[in-house]
Amino acid sequence: MNYVNTNFSIENTLNIVSGAMHTNKILLIEDNPGDARLVEILLSESDLLDCEIYHRVSLAEAMMELEKNTDFEAILLDLTLPDSQGFETLAQLITKFPNNNVIVLTGLADKSLGLKAVKAGAQDFLVKGAFDSELLAKTLRFSIERNQVLKRLEETQRVAHIGNWEYQPESNYFIASDEVYRIFGLPPRETFFLGQDLEDPKCPFHFFYQINRDVLDVGELKKDLKVTQANGYSKYVYIQCTVRKSQEYGEVIHGIIQDITERKLSEQELLKSQERYEEIFTESKDAIFIATLEGKLVDFNNATTELFGYPKRELESQNNIHELFYPREKKNEFLLKLRTQKSIKEYSIKVAHKSGEVRHCVISANIFVADDFIGYNCILRDITERKQAEKMKKARDLARHSAMMKEQFIASVSHEMRTPMNAILGMSNILVQMDLEKEQFNLVSSIKQSSEILLGVVNDILEISAIQNGKIVFENKFFNLEELLANLVNVMQYKAQEKDLYFETIIDEETPMILLGDKLRLNQILYNLVGNAIKFTDHGFIKIYIKKLFDIVDSVQLQFIVEDSGIGIPSEKIDAIFETFTRIRQKDRLYEGTGLGLSICKNLVEQQGGKIGATSEEGKGSKFFFDLIFEVGEASQLEPKSPELDHVELDEETPFRLLLVEDHKMNQLVARKTLERKFPNIYLKIADNGKIAIDILEQESFDIILMDIQMPVMDGYEATKHIREEMPDSIATLPILAMTAHAHISKDEKFKEYGLDDYVLKPFEPEDLFNKIAKYLRK
């Protein structure tokens, strides 16, 4: 049967939604044509409602209409349809379209079914044959109005997160608003729970079962609770419910439930924040207080009492805390800025401690007003230790700067002294090789000897400067102790023989010969001690003893003793001889030296974890001793000797071409004379600086280059870098030896970074220079 679409225009003075004329769309679901026509006629006779009726004859057709048209103000539903019978008809409709306003049409015998339908979600019911046009219109009108009110109520509940429920214990009737379902994480109007459902612990609304039982005992209930949603998450809710008695239903429980999760979490966060504040306030190392603008303390923490040094009671009785701020002009400026700017941060001020001590602080404060109180809160940070640390840092930086300046000064003086000494020693070496008269030979020898003494002084000053500035780096390599001592004896033997002294080395049989340590520093210590012994001994002997003291796992502790039969040391000066610039003087004799040798030895021993000392008797000689710990090794662990380190000879008649880059005229002369006397077939070209050297290399070919470092225009480092990186391979691969007065060149090895192969230190030993030239020419 096709549906009839009838449009009625009925004047209605009351507009349900906006107060103006409004046509209400009504869906009539009725399979009986007579009943359907009756409804249409009755509505046309009424002046209470303006309607547009959509008639459908089956539940399926109605469902299809509702799918495409959702804005019906009301649905008139016959419970007996061709495709659905009884209460099931309403259940299907409400389940699929839960938000629609349904008025059930029942027969005279089905009045109880209508009541059940209302409880199940229908707005109202009408009994066919028992209503006229006025009752039908009123029922529709009131239903539409009630539905609109309910929708507004539901919207209000949704916005406020407040739901309501009703429970009738006698009939086990339970109904809850949409918001109740939302609070419990359930989709509204898709799931309905009945009174008997609540008793099941698995039911999401089981919560209400216990609430309903509790309120029946006490009559009224208000409390905050934590509930679990269907998805397992928790929420905080506030419930309020009461029990009322009804003649029709007996006891009825009405309740509201509000989602207060956000408020509860905010309260918890506020509580935590307050607890954190209390903890910060109490435990803070900074003084925190609240005071009036006149300086009366209102509240303060323990750090405030510690900063000012007053007990709590004395601070509480203090009328003006500002009196403890110093100096006065800074205090006045602080208070003025606080009043005018309302806030001040990191302001420097001093605080008077009860003991009289002045503490340096920074203060941050903010004006605040609360009720009838006007004051400020304040944080005072004690920075006294930081100030002291900054002062110490400045002093340390100044000391470091002074040490650096001293080191630079000593290095500069050393370089400036070595440059002329190179000429003096170089010319002395040339002169002693000439045919001189005896007196001339003696004079030149004296010049040479004095220059060597002066060179030793310079070396000692440089060494002690390096030690004091922490520039000494110790190397750990395996070495042969017996070989080290043999070389020491070979070097020192001639000095002992000059004074006709007996020189002997005595080694304990248990002493291991292969050791791991710094061979050069051990040799330096022994060389200084033996040199001193020879210098202060005119008759008798010099003896070196080496004893094993202890075995320590894979290491050994050795003691070295240098004994002499010299002048000895007065007992009152034994403790001072290891200090810098300490010298032993005799009335009838003055000994050369700086007084730095023993200080150098002491530093070198102690920096390696050893101990050094001396015993002596004036006029009968001295014993100097020190101990060091070495790891014990085997001969197989010694580094193989490099052939390059051995003495290399070059046939004096060999022709070769050498470029000397040197700006100092006297040093040019010394180098030229020294090399030409040794190698008569040498071709030697001189360049006054690095730039000239590069120009010459572009025009001529050479076999080797001697390069000074400190020169005008272009220094040796720049020139070498240019040769290595910018010039053809035939020139870039030439051996280049640094020839410099910078004594530190052997320590920092900076020369290697620029491509220099080796160095010869000014004043140079002729044999050292010849050996280096021969070695690199052979390569």
Side-chain angles (χ1 to χ4, degrees):
M1 177 177 178
N2 294 329
Y3 69 89
V4 179
N5 194 10
T6 307
N7 189 4
F8 293 97
S9 294
I10 303 173
E11 288 187 4
N12 189 354
T13 57
L14 176 66
N15 186 292
I16 296 173
V17 178
S18 61
M21 291 299 291
H22 176 76
T23 300
N24 297 283
K25 293 170 65 176
I26 309 295
L27 177 62
L28 174 62
I29 308 173
E30 172 64 71
D31 65 325
N32 188 317
D35 289 340
R37 184 60 184 159
L38 179 62
V39 168
E40 292 171 357
I41 293 171
L42 291 176
L43 283 176
S44 67
E45 294 175 350
S46 172
D47 58 356
L48 296 176
L49 205 65
D50 184 17
C51 297
E52 181 181 359
I53 299 175
Y54 290 77
H55 179 206
R56 300 293 180 266
V57 298
S58 69
L59 184 62
E61 288 181 359
M63 293 284 197
M64 290 175 63
E65 182 64 32
L66 288 169
E67 287 281 359
K68 63 182 181 180
N69 197 350
T70 59
D71 56 345
F72 288 105
E73 298 292 347
I75 299 172
L76 291 172
L77 174 66
D78 182 13
L79 291 181
T80 304
L81 296 172
D83 54 353
S84 179
Q85 300 291 318
F87 182 74
E88 183 64 27
T89 305
L90 175 66
Q92 289 187 57
L93 185 65
I94 290 179
T95 299
K96 190 164 185 181
F97 301 100
N99 295 318
N100 281 287
N101 175 22
V102 181
I103 300 172
V104 170
L105 301 176
T106 69
L108 291 171
D110 294 330
K111 185 176 180 179
S112 61
L113 187 62
L115 292 172
K116 183 179 179 183
V118 171
K119 289 185 177 182
Q123 280 283 346
D124 207 340
F125 75 95
L126 291 169
V127 179
K128 292 179 182 180
F131 60 87
D132 56 14
S133 62
E134 185 177 358
L135 178 60
L136 175 60
K138 283 183 178 180
T139 300
L140 272 172
R141 176 187 169 189
F142 293 150
S143 174
I144 292 170
E145 288 180 343
R146 185 163 58 247
N147 189 55
Q148 292 294 331
V149 170
L150 289 173
K151 284 183 177 179
R152 289 195 290 272
L153 178 60
E154 286 286 354
E155 180 63 18
T156 302
Q157 288 189 354
R158 188 185 66 79
V159 172
H161 300 298
I162 299 175
N164 66 285
W165 83 90
E166 180 180 313
Y167 178 63
Q168 299 170 11
E170 290 184 9
S171 61
N172 213 14
Y173 170 76
F174 175 82
I175 189 170
S177 66
D178 287 355
E179 189 58 24
V180 175
Y181 285 83
R182 291 192 191 96
I183 289 173
F184 280 81
L186 297 167
R189 298 184 182 271
E190 289 188 12
T191 305
F192 290 91
F193 295 104
L194 303 176
Q196 57 268 27
D197 297 331
L198 308 187
E199 298 180 17
D200 185 357
K202 294 180 180 180
C203 176
F205 280 2
H206 181 67
F207 161 82
F208 290 106
Y209 176 71
Q210 187 61 47
I211 293 296
N212 291 333
R213 291 182 60 184
D214 291 345
V215 75
L216 286 173
D217 294 335
V218 296
E220 185 177 8
L221 195 64
K222 296 178 182 180
K223 62 165 59 176
D224 293 346
L225 293 169
K226 188 176 183 181
V227 299
T228 303
Q229 292 181 306
N231 56 15
Y233 290 104
S234 296
K235 278 188 173 291
Y236 291 95
V237 297
Y238 165 75
I239 62 159
Q240 179 176 341
C241 53
T242 58
V243 180
R244 295 176 183 173
K245 291 190 176 180
S246 166
Q247 291 182 352
E248 183 179 359
Y249 302 112
E251 290 181 320
V252 179
I253 298 172
H254 297 280
I256 63 168
I257 180 170
Q258 181 181 13
D259 183 352
I260 59 169
T261 304
E262 290 186 10
R263 190 193 80 194
K264 206 71 174 178
L265 293 177
S266 297
E267 290 175 355
Q268 291 176 358
E269 190 58 38
L270 179 62
L271 182 60
K272 288 180 182 178
S273 178
Q274 290 174 339
E275 290 174 350
R276 285 195 296 269
Y277 171 77
E278 288 293 334
E279 184 178 359
I280 292 171
F281 184 79
T282 305
E283 302 297 330
S284 174
K285 301 299 181 184
D286 297 333
I288 303 175
F289 62 80
I290 299 171
T292 64
L293 294 176
E294 292 72 34
K296 179 67 177 177
L297 289 176
V298 177
D299 194 11
F300 53 89
N301 64 353
N302 294 332
T304 306
T305 63
E306 294 174 5
L307 177 63
F308 290 99
Y310 291 91
K312 185 176 181 181
R313 287 184 179 179
E314 289 188 33
L315 277 182
E316 288 173 340
S317 63
Q318 183 78 248
N319 289 323
N320 188 358
I321 196 68
H322 301 151
E323 292 178 355
L324 301 178
F325 292 173
Y326 289 93
R328 178 176 294 180
E329 59 272 15
K330 294 284 286 183
K331 173 187 69 176
N332 292 339
E333 183 183 2
F334 161 70
L335 293 174
L336 178 63
K337 283 187 174 183
L338 182 62
R339 290 174 184 270
T340 56
Q341 299 176 9
K342 311 301 181 186
S343 177
I344 189 168
K345 292 184 178 180
E346 299 290 322
Y347 184 82
S348 296
I349 202 163
K350 295 177 182 177
V351 166
H353 192 270
K354 185 179 181 181
S355 64
E357 180 185 5
V358 175
R359 309 294 294 178
H360 295 271
C361 299
V362 289
I363 187 169
S364 297
N366 294 282
I367 295 278
F368 79 92
V369 179
D371 298 330
D372 58 347
F373 175 80
I374 301 177
Y376 70 97
N377 52 41
C378 174
I379 299 177
L380 260 175
R381 176 166 294 169
D382 188 347
I383 60 168
T384 306
E385 282 73 20
R386 191 175 84 190
K387 282 277 188 183
Q388 293 171 347
E390 289 173 357
K391 188 176 180 181
M392 290 177 64
K393 183 179 182 297
K394 287 181 181 178
R396 185 175 67 249
D397 291 344
L398 180 62
R400 286 177 177 171
H401 180 69
S402 299
M404 183 180 69
M405 294 299 293
K406 182 178 73 173
E407 184 181 1
Q408 291 176 352
F409 172 75
I410 291 172
S412 177
V413 170
S414 166
H415 178 269
E416 297 306 315
M417 291 179 69
R418 281 177 173 276
T419 299
M421 282 174 59
N422 184 57
I424 297 169
L425 272 173
M427 291 182 181
S428 299
N429 285 326
I430 294 170
L431 284 171
V432 293
Q433 296 175 30
M434 294 181 177
D435 295 331
L436 300 175
E437 296 178 4
K438 183 176 181 181
E439 184 179 2
Q440 292 173 330
F441 180 83
N442 290 338
L443 289 172
V444 173
S445 296
S446 297
I447 293 172
K448 185 174 182 293
Q449 185 178 3
S450 298
S451 299
E452 288 173 346
I453 292 170
L454 182 57
L455 181 60
V457 170
V458 172
N459 288 338
D460 282 350
I461 292 173
L462 285 174
E463 187 69 23
I464 199 67
S465 175
I467 290 172
Q468 290 176 347
N469 288 291
K471 297 296 181 69
I472 297 295
V473 178
F474 294 95
E475 292 186 353
N476 267 345
K477 292 184 178 179
F478 287 101
F479 66 91
N480 189 317
L481 178 60
E482 190 174 24
E483 186 179 284
L484 180 148
L485 294 170
N487 290 335
L488 176 68
V489 170
N490 288 336
V491 173
M492 304 301 292
Q493 183 73 45
Y494 80 97
K495 290 187 177 182
Q497 288 175 351
E498 285 177 355
K499 302 179 79 171
D500 198 22
L501 299 175
Y502 177 70
F503 192 12
E504 181 183 12
T505 300
I506 303 159
I507 305 175
D508 187 357
E509 291 182 358
E510 296 182 358
T511 303
M513 289 297 107
I514 309 301
L515 304 175
L516 179 66
D518 195 320
K519 171 184 174 181
L520 293 178
R521 296 303 175 186
L522 176 59
N523 188 69
Q524 186 179 358
I525 297 165
L526 289 170
Y527 183 88
N528 267 320
L529 295 181
V530 173
N532 267 0
I534 294 173
K535 182 166 66 174
F536 292 106
T537 303
D538 294 327
H539 307 285
F541 64 86
I542 307 294
K543 294 181 181 180
I544 303 174
Y545 298 92
I546 294 92
K547 297 181 179 180
K548 183 178 77 170
L549 297 181
F550 302 106
D551 287 314
I552 309 170
V553 192
D554 295 330
S555 302
V556 64
Q557 185 179 30
L558 300 182
Q559 184 177 58
F560 299 83
I561 302 171
V562 177
E563 183 182 8
D564 65 64
S565 58
I567 62 173
I569 304 167
S571 58
E572 69 273 10
K573 293 187 177 181
I574 286 288
D575 294 335
I577 57 174
F578 290 104
E579 301 300 323
T580 54
F581 302 108
T582 300
R583 299 171 63 188
I584 303 300
R585 299 179 182 272
Q586 287 190 333
K587 291 181 181 180
D588 57 347
R589 186 170 177 181
L590 179 64
Y591 292 92
E592 302 91 354
T594 58
L596 293 173
L598 290 177
S599 177
I600 292 171
C601 290
K602 181 176 185 291
N603 277 281
L604 292 177
V605 169
E606 290 180 349
Q607 287 190 34
Q608 295 181 85
K611 293 181 295 182
I612 190 169
T615 59
S616 183
E617 186 176 349
E618 194 170 3
K620 294 186 179 181
S622 305
K623 279 186 182 181
F624 285 83
F625 51 86
F626 65 94
D627 63 80
L628 289 172
I629 296 175
F630 300 93
E631 286 188 33
V632 179
E634 299 176 356
S636 61
Q637 294 174 297
L638 292 172
E639 291 185 6
K641 291 184 180 180
S642 172
E644 294 183 4
L645 299 178
D646 294 336
H647 185 73
V648 181
E649 289 287 348
L650 184 67
D651 187 350
E652 295 178 4
E653 301 299 323
T654 301
F656 63 94
R657 300 172 66 85
L658 183 145
L659 176 61
L660 173 65
V661 190
E662 170 67 68
D663 67 309
H664 196 279
K665 298 300 181 182
M666 292 299 292
N667 285 337
Q668 290 177 1
L669 177 61
V670 169
R672 176 186 288 278
K673 289 294 184 183
T674 301
L675 290 169
E676 288 179 346
R677 285 180 65 84
K678 177 69 173 177
F679 304 108
N681 291 324
I682 186 175
Y683 171 77
L684 191 149
K685 186 86 171 185
I686 296 176
D688 289 333
N689 59 57
K691 180 66 174 62
I692 295 173
I694 290 171
D695 294 340
I696 292 173
L697 285 168
E698 290 175 346
Q699 304 297 324
E700 300 184 50
S701 61
F702 293 90
D703 299 304
I704 193 167
I705 302 171
L706 293 181
M707 182 74 72
D708 187 23
I709 298 300
Q710 188 169 313
M711 294 181 293
V713 185
M714 180 183 281
D715 65 27
Y717 289 140
E718 294 172 320
T720 302
K721 192 171 187 294
H722 181 88
I723 292 168
R724 296 298 191 210
E725 296 179 1
E726 306 294 335
M727 303 197 78
D729 287 349
S730 58
I731 302 172
T733 55
L734 285 175
I736 306 176
L737 310 182
M739 197 171 182
T740 178
H742 287 288
H744 64 266
I745 194 168
S746 62
K747 295 181 173 63
D748 61 23
E749 295 191 337
K750 185 179 180 181
F751 67 93
K752 292 182 179 179
E753 298 175 12
Y754 292 88
L756 289 158
D757 295 288
D758 210 331
Y759 68 92
V760 177
L761 189 61
K762 298 175 186 176
F764 62 82
E765 286 288 338
E767 289 302 320
D768 182 37
L769 175 61
F770 302 152
N771 187 45
K772 294 284 179 72
I773 291 173
K775 180 172 73 173
Y776 286 96
L777 283 179
R778 284 198 174 184
K779 282 188 174 182

